Amino acid sequence: MKPAAVIRRDRLILAVKPAVPGTPGRVLSDKMIDAPAAGSCCSCGATIAKAERVRARMEARTRRAETFLFCASCCDLMANFAIAAATESGSRRRA
Ligand SMILES: [Zn+2]
């Protein structure tokens, strides 16, 4: 069981459409996971440590399915973007 704060952050991150490298394909899965092994971020190239909380997005590309991992820092940016977007639309509604 994940703490509520982690679940809340995961939801914020997944609400943001990520910039994936190459031509976007059909999304097969898009979820937050604890990295099963070390790897690298598809967005900034940072090293992802085993067990780091990352976004894993699998897309069907021309010949095969590809998985794109986003590191914790990129996930933080997406979470902040989601919060800012929500705040902005909230103030627009009030205006
Ligand atoms: Zn990154």
Side-chain angles (χ1 to χ4, degrees):
M1 216 359 228
K2 292 283 171 196
V6 173
I7 294 167
R8 212 161 31 239
R9 181 175 172 274
D10 285 358
R11 281 207 196 102
L12 284 170
I13 294 162
L14 292 172
V16 176
K17 190 173 184 291
V20 288
T23 310
R26 187 164 53 88
V27 180
L28 301 174
S29 77
D30 192 10
K31 57 190 174 185
M32 298 298 297
I33 60 166
D34 296 324
S40 64
C41 176
C42 72
S43 181
C44 73
T47 301
I48 290 170
K50 187 176 192 292
E52 184 173 324
R53 193 77 181 151
V54 297
R55 181 176 187 169
R57 185 174 169 102
M58 195 195 287
E59 295 188 0
R61 294 293 173 99
T62 315
R63 290 183 192 284
R64 63 199 170 96
E66 279 190 66
T67 301
F68 300 93
L69 298 179
F70 296 84
C71 73
S73 301
C74 287
C75 286
D76 279 339
L77 285 176
M78 286 188 254
N80 290 339
F81 182 81
I83 291 166
T87 308
E88 199 175 278
S89 66
S91 57
R92 259 205 305 273
R93 268 199 301 275
R94 275 194 300 274

